[in-house]
Amino acid sequence: MSELKIDCINTNMYGMNSYVVSADDEAMIIDVSQLSSYDIYKKLLEGKKLVRIIYTHGHFDHISGADDIRKEFPDVPHCVHNMDYDFFQDGNLNVSAYLGSIIQCQSPEIQFNDGDTFTLKDREFKVIHTPGHTKGGVCYYTKGHLFSGDTIFAYGIGRTDFPTGDFNTLENSISQKIFALDDDTLIYPGHDAYGVKLSQRKKMGVF
């Protein structure tokens, strides 16, 4: 199994963790926030084939760079869970309207469902539907690594007071799905610290 190389880009104004994940000569991007320049992505992707751009959920801080990154990599498909598909065109759902500047992006080409799988080189990734922060929030899991978006952080959980959020649903997603994974799994969330072992995070409980 190919070893993963994981680079985090969080220089955007929202403090959002965007990841460039590589396995040998293939790569994908997880979540894209708006930047003044996307040269850092191009540098990290030198010598690699970008095969997909995937989103953990549809909030504006995770999708605001979608149209810009399309200009840099126009032939690469974008993917999101089907329940967050509408967020890309709806400023109320993606919460940008609450800030007074509506963000709308081209809708992704691919809609995921819970349990879908895809590969990066010889590594299989699984889509785990973890609603609660948004109705279509997901985590992406491959052996030893979980890209959790805003479902769970190193020291907390995602907000549930935005449209389609629900605290009890999020609590169930974490306790029943995320905490069921191997303890050695490293967590790569959408904000703040990353690379924390799931065993350490579980000691704090859901909250």
Side-chain angles (χ1 to χ4, degrees):
M1 184 185 299
S2 299
E3 183 177 348
L4 283 187
K5 182 177 185 294
I6 302 170
D7 293 287
C8 179
I9 301 169
N10 56 12
T11 54
N12 55 84
M13 64 184 295
Y14 312 116
M16 191 277 291
N17 293 340
S18 173
Y19 297 99
V20 176
V21 183
S22 307
D24 291 337
D25 59 348
E26 288 190 352
M28 64 182 180
I29 296 172
I30 302 177
D31 293 338
V32 187
S33 196
Q34 194 168 34
L35 300 174
S36 58
S37 168
Y38 294 84
D39 287 347
I40 188 169
Y41 286 97
K42 289 186 280 189
K43 182 174 179 59
L44 290 171
L45 291 165
E46 285 180 357
K48 303 182 187 302
K49 179 183 179 182
L50 181 62
V51 295
R52 64 183 58 84
I53 298 169
I54 62 179
Y55 300 91
T56 58
H57 63 291
H59 281 158
F60 74 93
D61 52 332
H62 292 255
I63 69 170
S64 60
D67 285 352
D68 289 338
I69 207 78
R70 280 185 186 277
K71 297 174 185 175
E72 304 292 345
F73 307 100
D75 299 323
V76 178
H78 293 228
C79 320
V80 72
H81 189 276
N82 70 84
M83 290 186 180
D84 271 17
Y85 179 82
D86 292 341
F87 284 51
F88 283 71
Q89 290 288 314
D90 191 321
N92 290 309
L93 288 175
N94 70 39
V95 196
S96 61
Y98 292 76
L99 301 180
S101 180
I102 293 177
I103 291 174
Q104 293 177 312
C105 306
Q106 181 177 327
S107 299
E109 291 80 9
I110 296 173
Q111 297 183 51
F112 285 140
N113 293 291
D114 184 42
D116 284 352
T117 60
F118 57 87
T119 58
L120 188 67
K121 209 62 179 181
D122 60 348
R123 270 198 174 259
E124 183 177 86
F125 284 76
K126 183 177 182 180
V127 179
I128 304 175
H129 185 211
T130 52
H133 180 61
T134 66
K135 63 181 179 179
V138 300
C139 298
Y140 298 105
Y141 174 76
T142 187
K143 185 173 176 57
H145 307 273
L146 181 76
F147 298 90
S148 63
D150 289 3
T151 297
I152 189 170
F153 304 125
Y155 307 108
I157 62 174
R159 293 177 60 167
T160 59
D161 57 335
F162 292 137
T164 80
D166 181 81
F167 177 80
N168 290 332
T169 302
L170 183 60
E171 182 180 25
N172 184 69
S173 292
I174 294 170
S175 62
Q176 300 299 314
K177 295 185 176 182
I178 294 178
F179 283 179
L181 300 173
D182 292 341
D183 281 348
D184 288 340
T185 300
L186 301 177
I187 303 173
Y188 296 85
H191 297 272
D192 304 325
Y194 54 90
V196 173
K197 275 191 176 183
L198 182 58
S199 58
Q200 295 174 278
R201 181 61 185 81
K202 285 167 70 173
K203 291 177 181 177
M204 290 184 277
V206 171
F207 315 116

